[in-house]
Amino acid sequence: MESRIPVETELIERIGWLIRLRWLAVLGTGAAIFLMWLWYPDELPFLPLIGVTAIIALYNTQFFFYARALRLGYSGTLRLRHAIQFAYVQIVLDLLALTALIYFSGGVENPIAVFYVFHTIIASILLSRRVSFLMGTLGVLLFAAVAVLEYTGILPHHHLPIMGAFEPYQELPYVLTTVGVLAITVWLVAYMTSSISVRLRARDRELVESSRDILAKSQELEAANRRLRRVDAERTRFMTLVTHELRAPISTIHTCAEVALAENTSPEAVRDILRRIKRRTGELVELIGDLLRLTRAREEASREEEIGLTQPAEVLESVVELMQTEAHSKDLFLSMDIDPSLVPVRANPERLKLVWTNLLSNAIKYTEPGGIVSVALKQANDHLVATVRDTGIGIPPEDQERIFEEFYRASNARMSCPVGTGVGLAIVQRIIENYGGEIWVESELGLGSKFTFVLPTALT
Ligand code: ADP
């Protein structure tokens, strides 16, 4: 069905081709009329013949401007409809003009009657197989009408001088044979050319579709590439940060050890140096712990997992219990609110634990002592809605979109807590989306953040 008409741009291009072809036809007809006038100046009605040729030239000029407007103007289905109507008008006018030329130059005697074939071919190229048959038949009917009207004497006959004394327009067998042969030729041509056009058109359409596909794919690739480049830049920044973070305490420790080893260092000073060494190594242990957690989390997230029915409340309670110590040691108040009507979710409990641990440890990490961290679990229709709120440093609006990207850390987080990897939230998002859920953040700088995630609950 789709391949019966050509694609819009192609149709418009071919209309241009038809108009160029018509200029050639005008020139050819003009030349033929001129030659006939030279050889047989009194034997044909030259005025009507020139008149018809002039009319063709006139309407072709109009067509030229309309085709240009069509090409430049607008696009879409309206343009396609106009282009199709335009093609119809052109072919019908050409058929009428050809019939007039044939009539004024011998009628059935004129061999240019075969030119009706051209319109059949043009219709099959420009439009559909049906229209090709229709236009071919219209040509045959017009030709037959001329033959009948001349045969019955209703229209005067203009003899074609090149036929000499042979004047067969009144020979019924000749008239019938000529019209019959023309009809068969036109229909056969309509059948053959439209079979080829339909096939070519189907291929055209495939090509257009596949080039559209390729364009979409290349845009996807481009976006993926940009994402990768961004992750890579963040990764490099992260590596530099880690190296720097490792180097600074190690060189301090090294210098401290040198001072402690110096002969004139008092035992009191040595104790002080050892205290500094202890603090620095503590920081190092913390950083290395973070890196280890990161590696484990990434391994965990990429491992094959067993998905079963999990009670979200149980998982959350176990995580909050573990986190209480951390919250207390930072003088934070950690509260929990669980909806009693919770339905289990289809998830792996370990992964869910990872999600809660990451969100809660962030809330604790980015909240100043004295602040509040609260977690809540609610049932909303067929979804579990989980929130983690804090009264911490918040996230600048421009960073909120990007904090779920690997290695990305907001500027204020980097200042308030230099040790961090920027990977936790990327892992959390991957896990949640893997279960068909979604996670987002709402935050106000300096006032706090609220992370919300939803997960579809298991059907009971
Ligand atoms: P990390 O905490 O190791 O930097 P995450 O991936 O867990 O990495 O978090 C990414 C970034 O999101 C953090 O660096 C921080 O800028 C921001 N962020 C996450 N949680 C919070 C929070 N509760 N409050 C403020 N900022 C947060």
Side-chain angles (χ1 to χ4, degrees), residues 135-435:
M135 292 299 164
T137 309
L138 179 63
V140 172
L141 288 178
L142 287 170
F143 183 69
V146 169
V148 169
L149 292 174
E150 284 192 358
Y151 178 76
T152 52
I154 297 175
L155 279 181
H157 174 65
H158 303 283
H159 178 58
L160 188 64
I162 53 165
M163 300 296 280
F166 185 50
E167 228 172 321
Y169 79 100
Q170 288 213 307
E171 304 293 331
L172 192 61
Y174 177 85
V175 172
L176 288 180
T177 313
T178 313
V179 174
V181 168
L182 178 69
I184 292 171
T185 314
V186 156
W187 289 327
L188 272 179
V189 166
Y191 176 73
M192 290 190 292
T193 51
S194 57
S195 302
I196 297 169
S197 306
V198 164
R199 223 167 294 158
L200 285 179
R201 221 162 273 163
R203 215 161 293 164
D204 265 2
R205 225 162 264 279
E206 270 167 28
L207 270 179
V208 168
E209 264 150 36
S210 59
S211 63
R212 237 180 257 148
D213 270 5
I214 290 171
L215 189 72
K217 291 258 158 59
S218 72
Q219 277 165 350
E220 263 171 39
L221 275 179
E222 181 66 28
N225 200 7
R226 268 201 304 274
R227 252 193 329 268
L228 274 180
R229 273 207 298 268
R230 244 177 15 212
V231 169
D232 198 45
E234 289 296 336
R235 202 190 303 258
T236 313
R237 208 177 50 73
F238 169 71
M239 287 309 292
T240 320
L241 184 91
V242 169
T243 333
H244 178 261
E245 290 300 320
L246 284 174
R247 224 182 118 210
I250 288 173
S251 62
T252 315
I253 292 166
H254 184 79
T255 321
C256 288
E258 265 177 3
V259 176
L261 285 173
E263 275 176 14
N264 53 354
T265 313
S266 68
E268 194 45 44
V270 170
R271 284 179 70 82
D272 191 43
I273 286 166
L274 284 177
R275 267 195 294 274
R276 279 170 64 190
I277 289 178
K278 184 168 174 273
R279 202 176 60 235
R280 287 311 223 170
T281 46
E283 280 170 18
L284 270 179
V285 168
E286 206 174 294
L287 174 68
I288 291 164
D290 239 15
L291 291 175
L292 275 176
R293 261 196 299 279
L294 160 68
T295 323
R296 237 175 274 139
R298 295 186 90 188
E299 267 173 22
E300 182 71 25
S302 58
R303 226 184 322 130
E304 275 292 306
E305 57 174 324
E306 263 177 48
I307 300 181
L309 287 186
T310 304
Q311 294 290 347
E314 282 173 19
V315 178
L316 178 61
E317 276 161 357
S318 69
V319 174
V320 168
E321 206 179 299
L322 280 176
M323 290 284 168
Q324 281 294 3
T325 335
E326 211 174 316
H328 278 149
S329 69
K330 225 186 140 180
D331 196 20
L332 293 174
F333 180 68
L334 174 56
S335 77
M336 179 169 65
D337 175 17
I338 297 180
D339 187 343
S341 64
L342 285 186
V343 178
V345 288
R346 202 164 276 285
N348 177 300
E350 288 310 310
R351 297 272 162 98
L352 218 49
K353 224 178 242 179
L354 200 66
V355 168
W356 283 114
T357 315
N358 266 299
L359 293 177
L360 270 169
S361 62
N362 274 350
I364 294 169
K365 182 158 80 174
Y366 298 115
T367 304
E368 300 296 330
I372 300 169
V373 174
S374 48
V375 289
L377 270 185
K378 298 232 162 350
Q379 184 70 41
N381 299 325
D382 52 354
H383 277 81
L384 170 80
V385 182
T387 48
V388 180
R389 280 173 202 266
D390 63 57
T391 54
I393 59 168
I395 304 159
E398 67 275 13
D399 291 322
Q400 287 177 19
E401 275 269 299
R402 300 197 57 190
I403 54 166
F404 293 98
E405 289 173 20
E406 269 191 348
F407 303 116
Y408 191 84
R409 302 195 71 213
S411 45
N412 64 334
R414 262 185 259 139
M415 295 242 293
S416 86
C417 190
V419 181
T421 53
V423 171
L425 285 182
I427 293 171
V428 165
Q429 187 184 44
R430 208 179 312 158
I431 295 173
I432 288 171
E433 286 181 354
N434 204 23
Y435 292 143

